[in-house]
Amino acid sequence: MEFIKQLWRCVCLVLILMLGTWSSEATSRNLQDASMYERYEQWMVRYGREYNDVNEKQKRFEIFKKNVAYIESSNSDVNKSYKLSVNQFADQTNEEVKASRNGFKGREYSTKTTSFKYENVTVVPATMDWRSKGAVTPMKDQGQCGSCWAFAAVAAVEGITQLGTGKLISLSEQEVVDCDTEDL
């Protein structure tokens, strides 16, 4: 009889410990979710995000959480020379971002590549960080205008101008886009 009482006490103690552990984990998750949801709400205000219904808002929150987890994981990798940050696309999947940024709008572009050789080049560095040469202006956002080609061209001209003159000048992508008179 005494053995059964002790066994019963052990079982009760184990159950209490298990419930305590589960409760602690659930509370911790709830606090993490609450903190993440607060971050999400702040993000929504910053980027003026509003959703049609609660279901869409919840769906976007789940995507936001996954993206933030990816960003934090990537940033914790000390081998990466760059850092990611939460921006206006944090509630979108990669596929949605790609679809919204498709600026080609029916144009056909050639994918042919041409090989060439430099003359009189003996040593070429494995990598080159143009930021260290002061040849890169701060990052710019093309928005959704589909003008990535203009941003690439302007960045190249800005860089080569700095290398040639020693002066880094931020040029206007809009002026280049305005010169494109072909109907899209």
Side-chain angles (χ1 to χ4, degrees):
M1 187 66 159
E2 187 63 33
F3 175 74
I4 293 176
K5 283 183 183 180
Q6 282 187 329
L7 183 61
W8 177 247
R9 285 183 188 150
C10 286
V11 168
C12 287
L13 183 60
V14 167
L15 286 174
I16 289 171
L17 288 173
M18 286 176 52
L19 288 173
T21 302
W22 289 338
S23 172
S24 173
E25 287 177 9
T27 303
S28 174
R29 267 196 305 268
N30 288 341
L31 290 175
Q32 287 172 351
D33 275 353
S35 173
M36 182 61 72
Y37 198 79
E38 185 176 319
R39 251 177 107 174
Y40 179 60
E41 290 284 339
Q42 291 170 354
W43 174 87
M44 286 175 55
V45 169
R46 179 175 181 187
Y47 291 104
R49 220 36 132 244
E50 294 179 13
Y51 302 105
N52 293 332
D53 58 46
V54 176
N55 292 333
E56 180 68 15
K57 185 176 180 180
Q58 183 61 33
K59 174 186 169 189
R60 296 295 164 187
F61 174 59
E62 295 301 321
I63 295 169
F64 179 85
K65 281 194 315 187
K66 287 179 185 174
N67 286 337
V68 168
Y70 175 80
I71 290 166
E72 290 175 351
S73 172
S74 176
N75 289 347
S76 68
D77 184 348
V78 295
N79 295 322
K80 291 188 178 177
S81 62
Y82 60 90
K83 296 291 181 194
L84 303 177
S85 65
V86 174
N87 60 22
Q88 68 269 28
F89 306 111
D91 69 336
Q92 296 179 16
T93 64
N94 286 339
E95 293 75 24
E96 289 171 325
V97 171
K98 287 176 189 175
S100 71
R101 308 292 278 186
N102 184 0
F104 295 116
K105 299 183 183 180
R107 287 187 184 178
E108 292 297 322
Y109 290 93
S110 172
T111 57
K112 292 180 184 177
T113 58
T114 306
S115 62
F116 61 92
K117 294 181 180 180
Y118 291 103
E119 291 184 29
N120 303 322
V121 175
T122 56
V123 178
V124 178
T127 64
M128 173 62 68
D129 186 349
W130 291 108
R131 296 172 298 178
S132 67
K133 303 277 187 196
V136 180
T137 59
M139 186 171 57
K140 301 174 184 178
D141 182 4
Q142 76 181 41
Q144 295 188 14
C145 68
S147 57
C148 57
W149 57 272
F151 279 76
V154 166
V157 172
E158 289 171 345
I160 198 69
T161 300
Q162 191 281 336
L163 293 173
T165 67
K167 295 178 184 177
L168 181 61
I169 302 168
S170 182
L171 301 174
S172 170
E173 291 80 4
Q174 185 62 54
E175 289 185 22
V176 175
V177 171
D178 289 346
C179 291
D180 181 18
T181 58
E182 182 180 324
D183 290 338
L184 297 178

